[in-house]
Amino acid sequence: MFQRASLVAGVLLAVGVPMATSAFEPPALRAQANRVPAPPWPAGDERGMANVLGAATTQRCGWHLSQRGARTYEASFERSNTMPKSPFAPPSLSKPKPTAGVPFSAHAFNSEAFEAGAEPQQQGTQIDALGHFASIRSPWDPKNPFSADDASYYGGYKQQDVKPTPDSPLLKLGIEKIPPLVTTAVLLDARAHIGKGRAMGDGQLVTAADIEAMLKAQGLARRGILPGDMVWIYTGWSDNWKDPADPSSPYYAMAPGLSVDAAKMLAGKRIVAIGLDVPFLDPVPDGMLQGKAPPAAGTEPGLPFSIHHYMLSVYGIHHLENLNLAAMAADRVWTSCAMVLPSRDKGAAGAVIRPVAIGVPNQR
């Protein structure tokens, strides 16, 4: 009977018929998650929840890589001068240089330069370093000069530890402190389960209850979210990502995002990174960025970007912004081995990334 079933499966795969497959790693691999490290981390830590990464996450990842029918998915958008641009950073515009030669050689070569003031690390699909965000004692009144002297960062670091002068790079918590994020990713389809097949709206929340409901709806309740996982949430907001960008596009003007209770719940699960197909991860209602509307419901007072605050400054969980998750969601790749390798620009607050995921389609 087993041989006959295997033969049928092989024939179906050969003719391209998708077969349902389990999203679960073997029980022995999942059980290892109970033995991974847990906070609090030693004094002087700069890795945050990435301390969870190790043999358990690597072996889970390896299982996905070894599955028959596993495919590679790009989880980033192509970068160009015409892609949507963040309002919080000058455009990352590259200028092609003329083809050049090497004196006394038969070589010719091409390269590009960035325009002055460009911030490529904060544009497109990117990751935030833990030093990207801090908190100050009370809300800043822009009628007065801004002072960061009392800023507090992840791990209790102060401004003088992290960025002692205005022109200093991050001396602590910079992008180079992020280890290679190679671990299992759990994809949750909020477009299907919250939006009922439509993109979520501006300011709309993905709550802790929504996460539990999506795990159940996608057949992941028994597996759950394991320590060391990355969690990727497809909201459908990326339907608005168009290149060339439409000047009237709402993509960077507003967006759905994660709720505070969801952030705290995921931190309790000891995830190493959270990523959405949105520009902020924080929910941004229409008009909020222009000061014409309040932050989303549940946002902490004085902290309109509460998700940035909690994930980066409190829990040490990295942000992946502007993910491209539509293909994975369409193929029902709910679990996979994902790889996110930030550039090692010493002292940088963010980095361009090209996340990829390897998993089997049509998971049940």
Side-chain angles (χ1 to χ4, degrees), residues 47-114:
R47 289 166 59 100
M49 211 67 81
N51 283 295
V52 176
L53 297 175
T57 52
T58 300
Q59 290 176 30
R60 286 205 308 265
C61 225
W63 181 84
H64 289 277
L65 295 174
S66 69
Q67 295 308 290
R68 185 178 184 185
R71 300 179 186 174
T72 299
Y73 292 83
E74 295 277 5
S76 63
F77 287 103
E78 292 183 356
R79 301 175 63 82
S80 77
N81 288 348
T82 57
M83 69 183 184
K85 305 295 196 309
S86 168
F88 293 103
S92 173
L93 300 178
S94 63
K95 299 177 66 175
K97 297 174 67 176
T99 301
V102 177
F104 309 110
S105 82
H107 299 299
F109 67 93
N110 295 296
S111 60
E112 299 80 34
F114 284 110

Side-chain angles (χ1 to χ4, degrees), residues 4 17 54-55 57 96 119 139 179 212 219 221 238 242 252 257 274 277 285 294 313 323 335 354:
R4 181 181 179 186
V17 177
T57 52
E119 295 184 27
E212 296 291 356
S238 52
K242 308 293 183 185
Y252 267 112
I274 174 71
D277 63 328
S313 304
L323 290 181
T335 58
R354 183 183 180 179

Side-chain angles (χ1 to χ4, degrees), residues 211 229-233 258 266 271-276 281 307 311 317-321 323:
I211 290 173
D229 279 343
M230 288 190 269
V231 173
W232 294 357
I233 301 177
L258 204 65
L266 291 173
I271 68 168
V272 299
I274 174 71
L276 280 73
L281 269 66
I307 305 306
M311 288 303 207
I317 295 172
H318 290 290
H319 280 186
L320 312 179
E321 297 175 351
L323 290 181

Side-chain angles (χ1 to χ4, degrees), residues 255-258 278 280-284 299 303-309 319:
L258 204 65
V278 300
F280 312 114
L281 269 66
D282 285 272
V284 175
T299 301
L303 297 170
F305 293 94
S306 291
I307 305 306
H308 274 69
H309 169 72
H319 280 186

Side-chain angles (χ1 to χ4, degrees), residues 79 120-123 125-127 341-343 350-354:
R79 301 175 63 82
Q121 297 95 332
Q122 298 295 334
Q123 299 282 4
T125 304
Q126 54 97 204
I127 188 171
L341 307 177
S343 58
V352 174
I353 53 173
R354 183 183 180 179

